[in-house]
Amino acid sequence: MSHPSALIPFRSLLPRAFALACCVLLLMYAGAARAADRDRIEAFLEVTGFDVALDSIALSAGSAPDMLGIDENTFGADWERLAAEVFDTGVMHDMALQILEQTLSDAALSHAVDFYASDLGQRLVVVENKSHMNEDEDTARAGEQLVAEMVATGSPRLEMFKRMNKAIDASGGSLRAIQEIQFRFLMAASAAGVVELQMDPEDLRLMFKAQEPELLPLLRRSALAGAAYTYRSFSDDDIAAYADALEEPEMMQVYELLSAVQYEIMANRFEVLAGRMSELHPGQDI
């Protein structure tokens, strides 16, 4: 299953607003239909590939020292140990199950599983699982080259990929969620004495807001390059069929929910990481 963090690399770079959005999703999905049971959700995670997407959250831990202006080599082996403990895949998996048990309806689960259990769906999951764990500069450049070739030749695939990315992030909330993760991480690091912030929370939010016009086009280009590379072996007909499937209202609801779950888990883990970084390194100004 494709997801925002696979298409928008977090490493290249939720308080009340995003928490409220998650609460709204909880109420919307819990009230819409009977929630799926845990065994079916476990199967759903595997069939759709969202279990691998959750595991890939651990890769984002590498961006933590950069956000604080600290060289991760300063921590030595202790950093790897701490990051592995905080971003434990079993812990994140259980967090996802707990949320999805309350929010993912049987109808939504069945709709997504029906598609991803198909021949096309399973072929898509294979390449998406690889892409989740393989975000580097070489693949980014290769994706950008593919996009450039599509522009030069007028390939219809380009619009299909744009449709896919728009359907995956229909509300356009990926950038705001990433900013909220950074905000929560910095606030938690400041509270733990790991860093001393040189601006108050409101100024930090204003800075993030001011960056949006510059970052949005970059994220969209990155998402397009990621899709072009990930699905490079698929035919135009396959890509068109996937775009159609992602644009179905039921699938868009599933992605909206899974994105909220993924970002909330990521924000939670970064907050925990910030609190425990005080065990490794004295505070410093940023």
Side-chain angles (χ1 to χ4, degrees), residues 131-209:
S131 74
H132 297 330
M133 310 303 291
N134 185 32
E135 296 175 4
D136 57 35
E137 293 183 2
D138 289 340
T139 57
R141 282 194 293 268
E144 290 168 359
Q145 180 59 39
L146 288 171
V147 171
E149 292 172 2
M150 284 186 280
V151 171
T153 61
S155 170
R157 293 170 72 88
L158 191 62
E159 288 304 315
M160 295 178 198
F161 288 139
K162 289 180 180 179
R163 286 172 54 201
M164 287 170 54
N165 290 341
K166 184 176 180 181
I168 290 169
D169 186 25
S171 64
S174 291
L175 175 57
R176 291 189 297 275
I178 292 171
Q179 290 174 330
E180 196 66 30
I181 291 166
Q182 287 185 284
F183 181 89
R184 284 172 62 169
F185 176 59
L186 292 172
M187 291 298 101
S190 177
V194 177
V195 297
E196 183 178 343
L197 293 177
Q198 300 301 299
M199 59 179 67
D200 62 35
E202 185 59 32
D203 287 338
L204 186 58
R205 286 198 179 280
L206 290 173
M207 182 188 75
F208 283 150
K209 185 68 176 177

Side-chain angles (χ1 to χ4, degrees), residues 209-285:
K209 185 68 176 177
Q211 292 174 342
E212 288 182 8
E214 179 182 357
L215 289 178
L216 274 172
L218 293 176
L219 292 178
R220 287 171 182 152
R221 286 200 294 271
S222 176
L224 202 56
Y229 185 82
T230 299
Y231 308 109
R232 64 193 182 280
S233 63
F234 286 77
S235 69
D236 288 358
D237 287 343
D238 285 340
I239 299 301
Y242 197 19
D244 289 342
L246 291 172
E247 288 175 336
E248 293 176 359
E250 296 90 344
M251 191 74 87
M252 291 174 72
Q253 283 189 342
V254 171
Y255 268 90
E256 184 179 16
L257 174 59
L258 294 183
S259 294
V261 170
Q262 183 178 7
Y263 285 129
E264 180 57 29
I265 291 173
M266 190 180 288
N268 174 275
R269 293 296 84 193
F270 268 90
E271 285 180 320
V272 172
L273 180 66
R276 294 195 56 190
M277 283 178 74
S278 59
E279 304 169 11
L280 306 178
H281 194 74
Q284 74 174 64
D285 293 348

